[in-house]
Amino acid sequence: MSQASTVDLLAELVAFDTTSHRSNLPLIAFIESYLTRHGVSSRRVLNATGGKANLYATIGPVDRSGVMLSGHTDTVPVTGQAWQFEPFQLTAEGERLYGRGTADMKGFLAAVLAAVPAMVKADLAVPIHLAFSHDEEVGCLGVRSLIADLARYPQQPVACVVGEPTSMRLATAHKGKLAVRLHVRGKACHSGMAPEGVNAIHAAARLVAWVEDKATEKARLGPFDERFAIPHTTLQVGTIQGGAALNIVPQDCQLDLEIRNVPEDDPEAMLEELMNLVAEWQSEMRRVHADTSIRLERLSDYPDLSMADDDALVAFILALLDDRTRERIGYGTEGGLFQRELGIPTLVCGPGSMAQGHQPDEFVTRDQLARCDAFLARLITALESAEARQCLTTGSLLVG
């Protein structure tokens, strides 16, 4: 059986339109078939409707825990973007390989799949687990059912590398995110009788002002983590909608806000502070009219990821990379969920740059894929070692 190259497999993966609003099952079926051809069994973890799935597989000894290589299969939309190249067809232009998901993050998935024959052939002392998820781009939603499934099994991974695009540099931390929607219900009336109504936009403005004040406070007082490009928690209102006409006191207003917190900060405490104020403002509104409210809707959230720079896993993975830089990234990943929900030490490292992710004419370079291929080859060799087998007895597969 001839071995498919990473670029060949990337072309196959890009051809599947796995935008988050679509099913990823055709791509999952392709990966299942590919793994089966190499003697690797896998299991699907379906979503509630059965229209999407996560996929999990183990290569190597099944009676012990190993290293998990994790990535999401969905992509962001191309709608409204001006693409020079066909987004769902891999196009090579010199060093660059264009297509939706090439950087974020089908390039990593392709490299992992290309390495499967070597994984199968290797005498692994420590298994390699493959975890491919859905609906990461809409709030890290799909991986949660995979995490719940993994929690039922005694053999869980003891380490994880999430292959989001970091230009093959090791990321040890990222911020968390909490996104909510606030629905303000006021009381409409003619604007000439404004005091008899409850202006929903005015109430929403108080919410906006709180967000701006809290953002300023965080920038001034912290907590700070100088390893991030923006070293403090940020808050912002991203959308706001309300009102029907200038001569009508608006009855409804809706706004979306997000908190992106450094690991040292607590977004839930900030949200609780806001909702205590909301309770006071709602009481004021109801003194004018009883049928008014401010209602909270949680949109999405994922926890921050934080690994100490001197952690043994950091040293282990750094030794397998060409670039020994450690960094902290400004975007979120599923890694925080693996760390928080399952206690799996997790790092982020993958080919390509997020500067190209989500953009028209998204691309990854051949050099980046080659660097990922080399990293995976070194990982396979490291997990064959007698040292790795010995370290399993202590519950860690890492050597000094």
Side-chain angles (χ1 to χ4, degrees):
M1 182 186 301
S2 62
Q3 182 172 342
S5 72
T6 297
V7 174
D8 293 336
L9 285 163
L10 181 57
E12 296 271 14
L13 297 179
V14 168
F16 291 99
D17 180 356
T18 52
T19 307
S20 298
H21 69 269
R22 301 173 64 92
S23 173
N24 73 334
L25 292 183
L27 181 146
I28 291 295
F30 168 80
I31 296 177
E32 284 175 325
S33 176
Y34 176 87
L35 293 175
T36 298
R37 291 199 305 274
H38 292 286
V40 178
S41 61
S42 59
R43 71 173 185 267
R44 291 188 183 191
V45 180
L46 293 166
N47 70 346
T49 67
K52 296 182 180 181
N54 305 298
L55 194 69
Y56 190 78
T58 296
I59 301 172
V62 297
D63 61 342
R64 63 197 69 167
S65 301
V67 177
M68 181 165 65
L69 302 175
S70 174
H72 62 82
T73 62
D74 61 317
T75 67
V76 296
V78 299
T79 307
Q81 294 185 338
W83 280 71
Q84 177 183 352
F85 304 100
E86 166 57 43
F88 300 109
Q89 175 181 310
L90 192 69
T91 302
E93 291 279 340
E95 261 289 294
R96 294 182 177 184
L97 301 167
Y98 292 93
R100 174 54 88 218
T102 48
D104 184 19
M105 56 178 300
K106 290 180 178 179
F108 178 75
L109 300 185
V112 170
L113 292 177
V116 164
M119 296 176 190
V120 171
K121 184 179 179 180
D123 181 20
L124 293 172
V126 176
I128 297 174
H129 310 287
L130 310 182
F132 303 142
S133 67
H134 67 86
D135 282 350
E136 187 273 349
E137 296 289 6
V138 289
C140 296
L141 300 181
V143 75
R144 296 167 199 256
S145 61
L146 175 60
I147 287 171
D149 183 73
L150 287 175
R152 297 168 37 239
Y153 288 82
Q155 301 297 338
Q156 296 175 16
V158 294
C160 176
V161 176
V162 177
E164 292 278 6
T166 64
S167 298
M168 290 307 298
R169 292 190 292 268
L170 190 64
T172 59
H174 64 66
K175 293 182 178 181
K177 177 183 174 182
L178 173 61
V180 301
R181 177 170 294 159
L182 289 156
H183 302 264
V184 182
R185 180 75 170 178
K187 173 62 177 175
C189 68
H190 190 283
S191 61
M193 308 292 289
E196 296 183 2
V198 177
N199 192 308
I201 292 179
H202 288 184
R206 300 175 81 171
L207 297 168
V208 174
W210 180 88
V211 171
E212 185 175 15
D213 289 345
K214 182 58 66 174
T216 300
E217 174 189 311
K218 291 297 177 182
R220 185 169 59 89
L221 300 177
F224 298 104
D225 189 329
E226 299 296 341
R227 289 168 290 187
F228 287 106
I230 299 174
H232 53 80
T233 295
T234 61
L235 300 87
Q236 67 121 13
V237 173
T239 67
I240 186 166
Q241 301 172 353
L246 184 57
N247 62 352
I248 302 174
V249 170
Q251 179 165 288
D252 293 290
C253 189
Q254 171 184 295
L255 60 88
D256 294 350
L257 70 90
E258 70 169 18
I259 303 170
R260 292 185 180 263
N261 64 285
V262 295
E264 297 80 5
D265 215 344
D266 182 3
E268 296 293 343
M270 284 177 267
L271 185 60
E272 181 179 2
E273 178 184 340
L274 174 59
M275 295 313 295
N276 287 337
L277 290 171
V278 163
E280 296 178 15
W281 298 336
Q282 185 172 255
S283 295
E284 294 176 15
M285 293 163 60
R286 287 178 172 171
R287 283 197 287 269
V288 179
H289 197 280
D291 190 22
T292 56
S293 63
I294 304 175
R295 179 171 59 87
L296 173 75
E297 176 188 356
R298 295 180 76 105
L299 299 178
S300 64
D301 65 272
Y302 53 75
D304 56 82
L305 173 69
S306 182
M307 288 282 290
D309 285 344
D310 60 355
D311 188 273
L313 177 60
V314 174
F316 177 75
I317 298 298
L318 275 179
L320 307 177
L321 294 170
D322 296 322
D323 189 334
R324 304 298 170 87
T325 304
R326 289 177 302 219
E327 62 180 28
R328 297 191 163 204
I329 51 179
Y331 56 88
T333 77
E334 296 165 334
L337 287 164
F338 288 127
Q339 186 181 60
R340 185 184 69 180
E341 301 297 331
L342 295 176
I344 300 173
T346 301
L347 298 167
V348 184
C349 184
S353 169
M354 195 55 83
Q356 280 77 54
H358 299 201
Q359 301 298 314
D361 296 332
E362 179 181 352
F363 70 86
V364 68
T365 65
R366 294 179 186 274
D367 175 69
Q368 282 289 303
L369 294 180
R371 288 173 181 268
C372 189
D373 290 339
F375 160 68
L376 293 171
R378 294 175 192 133
L379 176 65
I380 293 168
T381 299
L383 297 184
E384 287 184 298
S385 69
E387 290 87 352
R389 182 180 288 109
Q390 181 180 0
C391 287
L392 277 171
T393 62
T394 66
S396 170
L397 48 80
L398 308 178
V399 293

